[in-house]
Amino acid sequence: MESKYNRYILAGLTVFCILLMGITLVTDQWLEPLRTAVGYVLIPIQSGVNRAGVTIYQELDDYGQLKGALEENRRLQTEIDRLTEENNRLTSERFELERLRDLYALDQEYMQYSKTAARVIANDSGDWFQVFRVNKGSADGIQVGNNVLAGGGLAGIVTDVGAHYATVRSIIDDSSRVSAMALQSGDTCIVGGDLTLYKEGRLTISGIKEGGDVKDGDRIVTSNISSTYLPGILIGYAADISVDSNQLTSSGYLVPVAQFSNLQEVLIITDLKETDDSEGE
């Protein structure tokens, strides 16, 4: 009896499984068109979503890289600005050191005179320092008539003094006349300022007496008979010396040793010329 009952159960389960298989087969055949239709719709959407996602990701990644690059660029630009400023400062200090070395050499060359260094703080309008102002005055022992040195030799003379400033008329000024002489021969002459001529880097030499031995390249210095300039200070070098039309004197040009396009530091000789004898200044 029990064996018969078990056979019924087994048969029932077998039928049930066959029914499920049939239903599944029918259902798959019925749903296949629906799945195909859904695939046609969803697959392009999914592909578009994927492409959009990839694009957005790339854009975000590019934006992050761009932002990082901009920040790095700002950092580098700040560093470049700092290094440029540092380089400019060091270059300025190097040039200043070179100028001070030249000024020290000039001080050593004229050790017989008492001197004080001064910085040029202003100049008259124009391309050249024909009249300029320095930051030392009567409080520093500066007086009218003090000789001024720069660039290896004579630059000018103090014409006005305040407590903390002094005005200097340079040797290139049109009104300047310096009693000078050729160092080699001792023959006297007059060095005259000429702003127009100085555009060519020259001043005038005149008043060389007949038979005077002043040649091109001779060192021209302040003479002993000058009333305002101390003797023996280098002014420049003679050039193109020739006999004048009167056949009694000679004249020519002088190339000054001082440069008057960019004076920054000078030496002021605090000693004054004591003699009143004069020929020119």
Side-chain angles (χ1 to χ4, degrees), residues 196-224:
T196 301
L197 187 60
Y198 186 70
K199 292 179 181 179
E200 303 173 9
R202 294 181 167 193
L203 302 178
T204 62
I205 291 179
S206 61
I208 303 172
K209 295 179 180 179
E210 184 180 9
D213 184 20
V214 180
K215 303 181 296 296
D216 292 356
D218 280 356
R219 291 164 62 92
I220 305 299
V221 300
T222 51
S223 72
N224 296 321

Side-chain angles (χ1 to χ4, degrees), residues 31-280:
L31 290 178
E32 183 64 26
L34 180 61
R35 284 200 297 268
T36 301
V38 171
Y40 279 121
V41 175
L42 291 183
I43 289 176
I45 294 176
Q46 183 178 11
S47 299
V49 170
N50 288 339
R51 286 195 298 270
V54 171
T55 301
I56 293 173
Y57 174 79
Q58 290 177 343
E59 291 292 337
L60 291 175
D61 184 59
D62 291 343
Y63 174 75
Q65 293 181 4
L66 176 61
K67 184 177 180 181
L70 291 175
E71 291 177 353
E72 179 67 10
N73 182 67
R74 282 193 292 269
R75 187 189 69 79
L76 291 175
Q77 187 61 52
T78 300
E79 182 67 11
I80 289 172
D81 292 342
R82 186 189 68 80
L83 292 175
T84 300
E85 182 180 354
E86 179 72 8
N87 181 67
N88 291 338
R89 183 184 65 80
L90 292 175
T91 301
S92 177
E93 290 179 353
R94 178 171 63 84
F95 288 150
E96 183 177 12
L97 180 59
E98 291 175 357
R99 294 195 307 270
L100 293 178
R101 283 174 175 168
D102 293 340
L103 213 61
Y104 176 75
L106 189 61
D107 177 60
Q108 296 300 298
E109 186 173 353
Y110 297 99
M111 291 185 64
Q112 69 271 33
Y113 299 129
S114 300
K115 298 174 289 295
T116 185
R119 186 178 297 275
V120 177
I121 56 175
N123 73 304
D124 282 0
S125 59
D127 296 331
W128 316 112
F129 284 70
Q130 68 266 28
V131 178
F132 57 91
R133 183 168 291 183
V134 297
N135 65 343
K136 295 291 178 69
S138 58
D140 306 288
I142 308 302
Q143 305 175 65
V144 171
N146 285 154
N147 295 183
V148 180
L149 309 177
L154 184 67
I157 192 167
V158 174
T159 58
D160 179 57
V161 176
H164 301 290
Y165 75 89
T167 301
V168 179
R169 185 187 67 206
S170 73
I171 62 172
I172 69 171
D173 188 73
D174 288 334
S175 63
S176 175
R177 294 292 181 274
V178 182
S179 180
M181 66 179 185
L183 185 62
Q184 287 84 342
S185 65
D187 289 309
T188 60
C189 59
I190 299 296
V191 174
D194 189 323
L195 290 175
T196 301
L197 187 60
Y198 186 70
K199 292 179 181 179
E200 303 173 9
R202 294 181 167 193
L203 302 178
T204 62
I205 291 179
S206 61
I208 303 172
K209 295 179 180 179
E210 184 180 9
D213 184 20
V214 180
K215 303 181 296 296
D216 292 356
D218 280 356
R219 291 164 62 92
I220 305 299
V221 300
T222 51
S223 72
N224 296 321
I225 61 175
S226 173
S227 63
T228 53
Y229 290 96
L230 295 162
I233 300 174
L234 180 63
I235 307 171
Y237 298 90
D240 297 335
I241 302 298
S242 61
V243 178
D244 297 331
S245 59
N246 60 19
Q247 301 298 313
L248 299 176
T249 58
S250 296
S251 61
Y253 303 98
L254 175 130
V255 179
V257 291
Q259 299 295 316
F260 297 92
S261 59
N262 188 26
L263 288 176
Q264 297 191 49
E265 294 91 15
V266 298
L267 282 178
I268 301 176
I269 299 177
T270 54
D271 301 328
L272 289 174
K273 187 70 178 288
E274 296 179 355
T275 180
D276 290 332
D277 297 333
S278 65
E279 180 178 316

